[in-house]
Amino acid sequence: RYGQAEKDHQTGAATGLAYTQAGGDTLSIEISLAKGKGKLTLTGKLGDVMKESAEAAFSYVRSRTEELNIDSDFYEKYDVHIHVPEGATPKDGPSAGITIATALVSALTNRPVRKEVGMTGEITLRGRVLPIGGLKEKSLSAHRAGLTTIIIPKENDKDLEDIPESVRDDLTFIKVNHLDQVLEHALLEEN
Amino acid sequence: RYGQAEKDHQTGAATGLAYTQAGGDTLSIEISLAKGKGKLTLTGKLGDVMKESAEAAFSYVRSRTEELNIDSDFYEKYDVHIHVPEGATPKDGPSAGITIATALVSALTNRPVRKEVGMTGEITLRGRVLPIGGLKEKSLSAHRAGLTTIIIPKENDKDLEDIPESVRDDLTFIKVNHLDQVLEHALLEEN
Amino acid sequence: RYGQAEKDHQTGAATGLAYTQAGGDTLSIEISLAKGKGKLTLTGKLGDVMKESAEAAFSYVRSRTEELNIDSDFYEKYDVHIHVPEGATPKDGPSAGITIATALVSALTNRPVRKEVGMTGEITLRGRVLPIGGLKEKSLSAHRAGLTTIIIPKENDKDLEDIPESVRDDLTFIKVNHLDQVLEHALLEEN
Amino acid sequence: RYGQAEKDHQTGAATGLAYTQAGGDTLSIEISLAKGKGKLTLTGKLGDVMKESAEAAFSYVRSRTEELNIDSDFYEKYDVHIHVPEGATPKDGPSAGITIATALVSALTNRPVRKEVGMTGEITLRGRVLPIGGLKEKSLSAHRAGLTTIIIPKENDKDLEDIPESVRDDLTFIKVNHLDQVLEHALLEEN
Amino acid sequence: RYGQAEKDHQTGAATGLAYTQAGGDTLSIEISLAKGKGKLTLTGKLGDVMKESAEAAFSYVRSRTEELNIDSDFYEKYDVHIHVPEGATPKDGPSAGITIATALVSALTNRPVRKEVGMTGEITLRGRVLPIGGLKEKSLSAHRAGLTTIIIPKENDKDLEDIPESVRDDLTFIKVNHLDQVLEHALLEEN
Amino acid sequence: RYGQAEKDHQTGAATGLAYTQAGGDTLSIEISLAKGKGKLTLTGKLGDVMKESAEAAFSYVRSRTEELNIDSDFYEKYDVHIHVPEGATPKDGPSAGITIATALVSALTNRPVRKEVGMTGEITLRGRVLPIGGLKEKSLSAHRAGLTTIIIPKENDKDLEDIPESVRDDLTFIKVNHLDQVLEHALLEEN
Ligand SMILES: [Ca+2]
Ligand SMILES: [Ca+2]
Ligand SMILES: [Ca+2]
Ligand SMILES: [Ca+2]
Ligand SMILES: [Ca+2]
Ligand SMILES: [Ca+2]
Ligand SMILES: [Ca+2]
Ligand SMILES: [Ca+2]
Ligand SMILES: [Ca+2]
Ligand SMILES: [Ca+2]
Ligand SMILES: [Ca+2]
Ligand SMILES: [Ca+2]
């Protein structure tokens, strides 16, 4: 079951790119907020590295509420659930880090994520974006899904040459060092 | 021991369709609410994917209390127990997601679930309904149990042709993209 | 070590029937209440299915406090311990469900359990009683222990023919669909 | 390292009898109370059955504070630690149940345990005393340690004949059905 | 890396003696107190028996605050961390019990531990000191580290003959039954 | 992917030196603080020894807030997340102890860490710095990354001779016994 780009801009959800033994695929990161006390739930058959990656994205957002125009008390007011459909498919690795952070900021600021954007990159606690593997396969799956803009780590610049030219020409690659740049290109203004 | 349709419309319980190595079967999803502090208990020999699926259904409902006419404080007032009899039979997979969400909304709104309805479909945090496997076997078991209306994911449309015509003709298939459509067809008005 | 019927009506304890590789046996379900905050403790070398069965029984009782004449705040006032002697013998399966529920209602209402009654049946969150296995062996052990009344699931009706007539004639079988019927036959009036 | 009887009556400690592959041995059950909030700690390389046995003993005492002349709020005021030296020796089984209960009542009532008394027996939540194994080996080790009074379950009466007469004549066996009888014979008046 | 005696009397740290397959060694037990709520943290690659031994030492101290001149509320005011460098070396066994208790009393009373003292012995909840293994190897390592006074369990008296006379003559052995005696010989007056 | 020195002085992050089967490498230790209640989160595929090492560093800082000019209530006000990118690479061992402590003090005092400094050393609860392995490989990777000052444990003095002279001459080695010395050389004044 191949992924497809969203039909509308989504709030609280972003599209990542995965690389598995079966090749590349897109994956949705979904966030739900509910009145609560700061509990973080992670589901979608996620491996330990991906869970820790989500925790890093979450802590980054919590530590930058002021700069991100997020209520600094959100953690005390809400329970946060991060889910990655399709629930029976195992997922792992750190490369969904910036996608999780983007979906989370979208949910907390009510700013939609552009429907044509996919992204991949490890996030650190300082918001830095670290390089990832499988850029070629990820780009092919993004293209197949109908995405047109792909946000990638600057350090993966050297891997662009591995993507078939026909695909590369259809896609706009945005190279980033920091989550601020991701958010700038992925988020629309508040609804 | 084959399943049977409920004899009466039930509140806080809904009928799902399971697909195991032994073929299709119906299963009941039961919800109990008790005065408490928001603890969620999941029982019935459920595998990890099914537990996560229940957590997704639960979070979806919690994040949409206003639209669903549910007291937004229910999570602070009740402990919620989701159980799937028969307790010695292992169960897994994400396809009970919409059934769990439906039973939960039924329990929280006091609206009964139509006794003639069975359903299958993965739920996401946005309430989307994702396709499932084993539609043929599930439909046969629903038919055998006496159900007449089956709610399925729209993406499973292509699998209807695999169901024997004699069975297909006895059943009404409702194809859905979102939980809102499931609830519209499965729930009666409040008691 | 074969079980024996209780010599007196017991409050907070009920007699179940177990079926193991070594044949049938009776088992006591004991409940203790102590001032506390709603902690549930389950002991007696219980397998996961039996523990979940106890949780289902517990949730059923919590969700029906009004109908059962139980203080609706009991869960906030007491810690509840459910224990099944003999502590070195492994026990599992869902068939003690109605026995656990009965012992719990007895403890919370101060109504004694009739000493001559044994019972077996899975309980669901709606209080339904589901069929169990090993009725023949369980009946033989109940007979040997001196019990005279056996409460069984209505769906096990068909298995009564497997019990030797000499034993069957000594025992009164009460067939039930719901826990309400169990309590009606098993509990005496409040002390 | 063979056990020895205590030189003085002890408060908050009692002497049990263990039966291992290496034969019989005595073991001390020690209780410490410290200002706290009801946490129960179990140490001494205890197996799961022995831990559950300690929980049963603990719950029995909590549920009978009035009859035992114990402050009914003790559980909210103290943390309770139950330890069984020697810490490197694995211990398991339910037969220390009445010893744990006795040490606990001693600690909470400030009544010393008679130094010449050893005991063995499973405890249930109703305070019943169930039979144990290895009575012969346990009696030999009690004799060797210098104990003179051994409290045993009434149901083990039939096993006394297996103890060598020379040992049996040196020991007083007290046969009990219930913890009340244990406490009557094991505890002195408050210091 | 062989241990060495401390250069100064230390508060909140004491020197124990370990016996491993590689022979004897000294080890430091370090305590840190920080404003908190009674959390106990145990680190240093400790095995289960050593962790339980630390819990026993901790409970002993908590239960004797009055006799030890410790603020009886310390457990509600502080988090306590017990660490045993070197963090990559596995450690186990109950014989550091009295060392842990001594370091803890030192930290809570602000009384330094004499720098020339090493010690070994299991502690019980009553403060009793039980015998240990490897006294010969432990003594050799204490001697090599420059310690001059070794506190040992009285029951290990019989093992002193196994220590080479040249080493034995350099060391003062203090034989103890109870932690009170350990503290008397190991602690200086408050700073 | 080889490490590189930071381009700017960083607050809440410090550079450690790792030694793995694949040789030496630099690693970043990142700290994020967010309004919270004292929860400590450790991520980055850390082994147990490294996690315990982080706990020791954390407890040291908590126990010395006064001397370190840190708000003594920080633990009650913040949740602390310690992360070590790159999230898919397993990391273990105690030698990042002083780096973690330095990053933490930097985050809590707002004093930047000098960008040219790398460090390695186990930390104890008293702030002592214990020797580590792989100094040669660590120094080579530090040199390759462009670091110019390396803080090492004094006890590793003897291992400096193993480093190629050409590398050794480019690096300034600071030998330390205690974390105070680390902080003195690694931290700049508050921003
Ligand atoms: Ca897919
Ligand atoms: Ca390339
Ligand atoms: Ca079935
Ligand atoms: Ca088809
Ligand atoms: Ca039995
Ligand atoms: Ca039959
Ligand atoms: Ca012994
Ligand atoms: Ca016999
Ligand atoms: Ca050493
Ligand atoms: Ca000897
Ligand atoms: Ca690297
Ligand atoms: Ca050298």
Side-chain angles (χ1 to χ4, degrees), chain A residues 15 34 75 96 114 132 135 137 147 154 163 166 183 186 190:
Chain A
T15 302
Y75 186 67
R114 290 178 187 275
I132 49 74
L135 184 64
E137 292 78 3
L147 298 168
K154 189 160 275 176
I163 304 170
S166 62
L183 299 178
E190 187 175 346

Side-chain angles (χ1 to χ4, degrees), chain E residues 50 53 77 93 111 132 150 186:
Chain E
M50 191 161 176
S53 178
K77 292 182 183 164
R111 294 174 63 187
I132 48 75
I150 312 300

Side-chain angles (χ1 to χ4, degrees), chain C:
Chain C
R1 181 174 174 263
Y2 294 127
Q4 282 182 275
E6 299 284 346
K7 283 174 195 146
D8 302 293
H9 304 314
Q10 298 285 316
T11 301
T15 302
L17 304 176
Y19 173 46
T20 68
Q21 285 176 325
D25 201 0
T26 58
L27 47 77
S28 294
I29 306 288
E30 296 186 319
I31 310 283
S32 85
L33 303 176
K35 282 178 55 176
K37 297 169 191 159
K39 189 182 167 200
L40 175 62
T41 302
L42 302 169
T43 55
K45 211 168 185 173
L46 311 182
D48 287 346
V49 170
M50 191 162 176
K51 282 184 181 167
E52 291 196 344
S53 179
E55 291 186 272
F58 191 59
S59 287
Y60 175 74
V61 172
R62 283 184 61 198
S63 69
R64 302 289 160 103
T65 47
E66 197 172 345
E67 297 85 341
L68 296 167
N69 279 318
I70 293 170
D71 176 0
S72 68
D73 288 335
F74 88 87
Y75 186 66
E76 292 165 37
K77 291 182 184 164
Y78 294 109
D79 288 343
V80 177
H81 189 150
I82 302 175
H83 179 64
V84 190
E86 315 162 11
T89 305
K91 300 147 195 116
D92 208 351
S95 76
I98 61 170
T99 321
I100 295 168
T102 299
L104 191 55
V105 173
S106 167
L108 289 163
T109 59
N110 212 23
R111 295 174 61 187
V113 180
R114 289 176 187 277
K115 64 185 178 183
E116 72 275 16
V117 172
M119 63 187 78
T120 180
E122 178 174 344
I123 192 171
T124 86
L125 282 186
R126 286 178 279 178
R128 295 187 174 188
V129 180
L130 300 186
I132 48 76
L135 185 64
K136 177 184 165 190
E137 292 79 3
K138 289 172 171 176
S139 300
L140 293 175
S141 73
H143 185 256
R144 190 174 51 216
L147 298 168
T148 57
T149 301
I150 313 298
I151 302 176
I152 66 171
K154 189 160 275 176
E155 288 193 49
N156 281 107
D157 196 16
K158 69 187 187 321
D159 301 319
L160 287 172
E161 68 187 21
D162 302 332
I163 303 170
E165 198 174 336
S166 64
V167 168
R168 203 167 47 188
D169 288 353
D170 281 358
L171 297 170
T172 303
F173 288 92
I174 298 172
K175 301 159 199 168
V176 298
N177 274 324
H178 195 276
L179 189 72
D180 289 347
Q181 300 162 297
V182 178
L183 298 178
E184 184 183 340
H185 288 92
L187 295 185
L188 293 164
E189 288 312 298
E190 186 174 348
N191 271 337

Side-chain angles (χ1 to χ4, degrees), chain F residues 60-77:
Chain F
Y60 175 74
V61 172
R62 283 183 62 199
S63 69
R64 302 289 159 103
T65 48
E66 196 172 346
E67 297 83 341
L68 295 167
N69 281 316
I70 293 169
D71 177 359
S72 69
D73 288 337
F74 88 87
Y75 186 68
E76 292 165 37
K77 292 182 183 164

Side-chain angles (χ1 to χ4, degrees), chain F residues 50-109:
Chain F
M50 191 161 175
K51 282 183 181 167
E52 290 195 344
S53 179
E55 291 186 272
F58 191 60
S59 287
Y60 175 74
V61 172
R62 283 183 62 199
S63 69
R64 302 289 159 103
T65 48
E66 196 172 346
E67 297 83 341
L68 295 167
N69 281 316
I70 293 169
D71 177 359
S72 69
D73 288 337
F74 88 87
Y75 186 68
E76 292 165 37
K77 292 182 183 164
Y78 294 110
D79 288 343
V80 177
H81 188 152
I82 302 176
H83 179 64
V84 191
E86 313 163 10
T89 306
K91 299 145 197 119
D92 208 350
S95 76
I98 62 170
T99 320
I100 295 167
T102 299
L104 191 55
V105 173
S106 167
L108 288 164
T109 59

